[in-house]
Amino acid sequence: MSRITNFSAGPATLPLTVLEQVQEELLDWRGSGMSVMEMSHRDKEFMSIASEAEKDLREVAGIPQNYKVLFMQGGATAQFALIPLNLLRGKAGADYVLTGDWGKKALKEAGKYGKASVAATGEAGKFTSIPDRAGWKLDPDAAYVHITTNETIHGVQFQSTPDVGGVPLVADMSSDILSRPIEVSKFGLIYGGAQKNIGPAGVTIVIVREDLIGQASAMTPNVFDYKQAADNESMLNTPPCFAWYVSGLVFKWIKDNGGLAGVGARNQAKAKRLYDYIDSQDFYRNPVAKADRSVMNVPFTLANAELDADFLKGAKAAGLSGLKGHRAVGGMRASLYNAMTEQGVAQLVDYMKEFARTKG
Ligand SMILES: *Cc1c(COP(=O)(O)O)cnc(C)c1O
């Protein structure tokens, strides 16, 4: 077996021990005589998998009792519509703070269901920094304020939770959920697809404060109504069973590896190693304001873009994959999710040094 060091932005690398456990349990899950893929979601075996995953997630993330945890489908992209459908609650509109392309997508989708206003945007600076909180134009009557805690494409991340007063704060955490301790009580709703920092694609985690649900717009499809999902323990219809199961194993892996504090410290150390190297020389460059740099996704350019293809080819030969940057920003991007090891980042930095030495 040969496993590559995978810097893909998503779907992304998973902890090896989790994959090994999945492999070991694949044909016969704990004496049930079947794989998790083959079980009825109504049987006690899967019910135990589902409830244990929720219990572990609540423990790991410190989710208060007055929050519901939903295991949904449709990815973060479906949530872009479900959030206004469920949370507008008769109000005219919501505020969006744009720090990259994902926030723009969320804004555009929300505009189909209500007034979606731009409270602040970093677009003039090509999304290389978070707009200063003092300049945000927030409407105190907004149904919610939406932020993207980590913009996966631009590599810009909120380093603290902004204060938006009494209006519920809604956060797309798709690419940094469970990467560091979360102050859940500061949010009205947190959401994220699993495929970046949690598990396989197919399940979307929604953590929502109880008092915000139950007032969905009448046109909301039943399976996408948070109240219905909560009342039915995310099993109004067949849930994404296998993705839910693997996510549950990852929650246990986090528990066994120092919880979010431990994971967060390792993520800081990994990102520091890469940024320190980038800042120490002139061949590679990261354009993001230092205070707003993402710990999860590190975009960087080479001094000469004509060397990009060569860089990627050499990387592949050195056992490093998934480094091609998003087409919107070009260059390279290294995603350093929880399952990326410190050794993997060291390997990348060594390769970058050698490439710059020989080709730069
Ligand atoms: C990947 C990503 C999305 C889209 O996720 P899907 O699950 O593919 O819909 C949305 N927001 C952010 C911040 C992302 O990184």
Side-chain angles (χ1 to χ4, degrees), residues 74-78 80 102 148 150-152 172 174-175 193 195-196:
T77 304
F80 293 166
W102 288 115
T148 311
N150 184 63
E151 278 283 355
T152 323
D172 177 357
S174 291
S175 53
Q195 72 274 17
K196 278 132 190 183

Side-chain angles (χ1 to χ4, degrees), residues 326-348:
H326 191 278
R327 59 192 181 280
V329 296
M332 307 297 149
R333 171 175 51 178
S335 296
L336 313 180
Y337 299 124
N338 288 352
M340 171 56 59
T341 61
E342 292 175 58
Q343 189 203 344
V345 180
Q347 249 180 296
L348 171 62

Side-chain angles (χ1 to χ4, degrees), residues 21 25 29-30 43-61 63 69 71 233 235 244-253 255-256:
Q21 186 175 349
E25 297 180 336
W29 184 81
R30 304 185 198 175
D43 281 352
K44 69 174 191 321
E45 285 89 354
F46 186 76
M47 297 292 269
S48 75
I49 290 171
S51 63
E52 182 125 336
E54 178 175 336
K55 182 173 106 352
D56 287 333
L57 174 59
R58 283 184 174 277
E59 188 182 325
V60 160
I63 302 173
V69 175
F71 292 81
E233 291 171 339
M235 294 197 204
W244 190 333
Y245 152 69
V246 180
S247 299
L249 298 181
V250 172
F251 303 148
K252 284 214 190 292
W253 174 83
K255 270 172 67 170
D256 293 344

Side-chain angles (χ1 to χ4, degrees), residues 285-296:
R285 192 173 164 271
N286 168 276
V288 179
K290 281 191 182 164
D292 303 326
R293 281 174 165 179
S294 170
V295 168
M296 295 277 95

Side-chain angles (χ1 to χ4, degrees), residues 90-135:
K91 292 186 182 265
D95 283 335
Y96 281 71
V97 175
L98 307 184
T99 52
D101 285 356
W102 288 115
K104 280 175 74 176
K105 288 193 170 128
L107 170 87
K108 191 165 173 220
E109 191 73 2
K112 294 180 183 171
Y113 306 99
K115 187 163 162 282
S117 311
V118 178
T121 175
E123 189 153 24
K126 294 192 173 154
F127 296 125
T128 52
S129 64
I130 306 264
D132 190 13
R133 170 67 188 86

